[in-house]
Amino acid sequence: MNEILNLIESNSKLTAKEIAAMLGKEEGDIKSALEKYENDGVILGYHTIIDWDKTDREYVTAIIEIKITPQRDRGFDKIAERIYNYPEVQSLYLMSGSYDLAVIIEGKTMKEVAYFVAQKLAPIEDVVSTATHFVLRKYKADGVVYGASEEDLRGVDFI
């Protein structure tokens, strides 16, 4: 029943009744399937996507690359667990390539993010190095395009 998952992933406000009508199924079957997905940990939560740039909330988002030395018999998991338990951490990914972990965090200021990296991430025993990148503008996230596009005039010759 991946159809159910596809539908609620694109619109978590759909009711079991609406999903049943869309798929030609019984509402009770849809409710049972959703409950099973929740109990099995397939559905981890329901989220609203908000364009915070259109509010008065001040925040910065940073993507931090981390190189680490994997721990014997535990690999990256124990370090990842320590990092993802910080409330600032929005997302954490094990990566292939030139670094091991990608961390996405939010803070009120760049200084707050810098403090997090210097005081919480860098001192972790097996962290070899970090590189912090600040998000300047969000164009698309979680499959959703943000805001109306503004014309980019870089590279345009002015007369």
Side-chain angles (χ1 to χ4, degrees), residues 27 35 39 64 81 98 111 114 117 121 123 126 137 157:
E27 183 179 354
E35 187 176 308
N39 291 337
I64 305 163
E81 181 180 1
S98 61
K111 186 175 181 175
V117 173
L121 285 183
D126 296 305
R137 182 172 179 189
D157 293 328

Side-chain angles (χ1 to χ4, degrees), residues 18-111:
E18 291 169 327
I19 295 168
M22 295 167 92
L23 299 178
K25 308 269 186 195
E26 294 294 322
E27 183 179 354
D29 293 340
I30 300 299
K31 284 182 178 178
S32 296
L34 289 170
E35 187 176 308
K36 181 172 177 13
Y37 286 143
E38 290 168 356
N39 291 337
D40 291 348
V42 174
I43 296 174
L44 299 174
Y46 298 89
H47 297 280
T48 301
I49 300 170
I50 298 169
D51 187 348
W52 288 107
D53 290 339
K54 292 183 178 180
T55 71
D56 60 355
R57 177 179 156 211
E58 293 293 324
Y59 76 102
V60 293
T61 301
I63 300 169
I64 305 163
E65 301 173 359
I66 305 175
K67 290 184 185 180
I68 62 175
T69 303
Q71 296 176 334
R72 176 172 286 156
D73 299 326
R74 294 185 192 152
F76 300 100
D77 295 344
K78 205 65 173 164
I79 299 166
E81 181 180 1
R82 183 167 177 193
I83 294 169
Y84 70 60
N85 278 312
Y86 286 114
E88 299 91 339
V89 174
Q90 302 298 307
S91 300
L92 176 63
Y93 304 99
L94 178 62
M95 305 297 292
S96 64
S98 61
Y99 57 95
D100 302 305
L101 297 174
V103 181
I104 300 174
I105 72 163
E106 287 185 353
K108 291 180 183 174
T109 64
M110 288 184 179
K111 186 175 181 175

Side-chain angles (χ1 to χ4, degrees), residues 112-133:
E112 187 176 275
V113 171
Y115 177 84
F116 174 80
V117 173
Q119 299 298 316
K120 294 181 180 178
L121 285 183
I124 295 174
E125 185 177 335
D126 296 305
V127 169
V128 175
S129 66
T130 65
T132 303
H133 309 275

